[in-house]
Amino acid sequence: MKRLLLTLTALTGLTFAATAARADIKVGFVTSLSGPGASIGTLYDKGMKAAYAYQSEVGGQKIQLIELDDGSDPTAATQDARKLIQQDHVDILIGTATAPSTNAMMAVANELHVPFIAVSPVNIKPPKDGHLWGVAVPQTPSLMVKVIADRMKKEGIKTAGYIGFSDAWGDLVYNGAKAAEADGDPKITTNERYARTDSSVTAQALKVLATKPDGVLIGGSATQAALPILALKKLGYKGPFYGTPAMLNADFVRVGGKDVEGVEVSAGPVIVTSQLPADHFSKEIGTKFHQIFQKVNGGDADDGFSGYSFDGWLIFLDAAKSALKTAKPGTDQFRQALMDGIYAIKDLKGVHSIYNFTPKSAYGVDDRSLVVVKLEGGKWVYQP
């Protein structure tokens, strides 16, 4: 288990608090800096660095940020969450890069009654008794799929083959596609799956081709989302491809090359901040995010994942502001106040969405949180 006490370079003029003496509020952040989820996990890491540079204290209280690498392993994510709570005594958890690991962290948060902000798309069911000790920042998987399914229908797609991961994320996309189908969007002709570590999907691609779909919906993420597109192109498929924000990744574009040109995906507006109209809710905060991201990381935020970390931090800051009025950091009372503060959030503008949470729903987004973008010349282009 790799422990990382984050530091910023002199470029930012800021430093992370490194000791408890300098930090009144403790935040535990878990992401995947190694393993198959690392191409996404490192983006969450960059987003968190930008978030901390944006604001490293709240209500006059300094914040200590402790980061751990879960190695893309749910078991390690569980261990990380427990360590952060039981040994480091964090007030809140934020993480992680993959759906299975995020679900694992949510289970620990619920068991130990510590607020948790999920930055990966997950399917969260409220408990029968009490309330959840966590919320999810990303647009719901069903909403991500519904928005792109509606675009497919608009473009005349009547049937779509599906190929996605053989895990929780693959299930979420497929279920969303089937729900959209029931609502009048394209009929899904296949349910082909592959592992995140697979190097070939030729067999699955052949089964998709056999149904002669008008389009193909991809339920993968990052680098591995390019694999089925490359396979289908090699087999002669010439139809359009569609996907979700999980494909908004520079490595996906790099690995896919010309073969992924033209793919359309649903996306948080932060992906195309500069292309948004001036009155869009994300324009102002999104512009600030891109500026601080560039300053801290030395490159542009051309992905959606880093924005989830940033919005997770904004949610935490808003909740902490109210929690500090009733309790002191490091106590169970403060943890409860933080959770109450999150559930009390109303119309908080982030780079991805306008957030509203309640104890009955872990999701704080609506359809304002998504746009459609198309990959053209290696760049994501806003599709009004």
Side-chain angles (χ1 to χ4, degrees), residues 88-272:
D88 295 305
H89 307 292
V90 298
D91 297 296
I92 190 169
L93 294 169
I94 301 177
T96 177
T98 66
S101 292
T102 302
N103 286 330
M105 289 189 68
M106 180 66 80
V108 175
N110 283 328
E111 176 192 341
L112 301 180
H113 293 180
V114 175
F116 174 52
I117 297 176
V119 293
S120 285
V122 286
N123 187 17
I124 302 173
K125 297 180 179 180
K128 294 181 179 179
D129 300 316
H131 64 72
L132 280 166
W133 279 83
V135 296
V137 176
Q139 301 85 347
T140 63
S142 59
L143 187 59
M144 291 177 178
V145 179
K146 177 60 177 171
V147 167
I148 198 63
D150 287 349
R151 178 56 61 112
M152 293 165 71
K153 181 180 179 180
K154 181 179 179 180
E155 295 180 352
I157 302 299
K158 295 182 179 180
T159 61
Y162 175 72
I163 178 170
F165 285 155
S166 55
D167 61 17
W169 176 241
D171 293 341
L172 291 171
V173 178
Y174 177 74
N175 292 338
K178 292 298 290 183
E181 175 189 311
D183 197 36
D185 282 327
K187 180 180 179 180
I188 304 302
T189 63
T190 60
N191 182 13
E192 293 302 313
R193 304 302 186 92
Y194 65 104
R196 291 175 183 259
T197 54
D198 284 350
S199 59
S200 174
V201 293
T202 301
Q204 297 95 318
L206 285 169
K207 292 180 181 178
V208 172
L209 278 177
T211 66
K212 299 181 179 180
D214 297 328
V216 175
L217 176 64
I218 305 298
S221 67
T223 308
Q224 286 298 87
L227 189 60
I229 298 178
L230 295 173
L232 283 161
K233 288 268 189 170
K234 188 175 182 179
L235 291 170
Y237 179 72
K238 300 186 182 301
F241 292 93
Y242 301 88
T244 70
M247 296 161 68
L248 296 166
N249 177 279
D251 284 339
F252 167 77
V253 178
R254 175 183 58 80
V255 171
K258 293 182 178 179
D259 285 328
V260 298
E261 282 286 310
V263 64
E264 290 185 84
V265 304
S266 53
V270 68
I271 293 296
V272 286

Side-chain angles (χ1 to χ4, degrees), residues 4 17 54 88 119-120 167 196 298 305 328 349 355 363 382:
L4 301 170
Y54 174 73
D88 295 305
V119 293
S120 285
D167 61 17
R196 291 175 183 259
F305 303 100
K328 293 183 179 180
K349 294 180 181 179
Y355 297 97
Y363 304 105
Y382 177 49

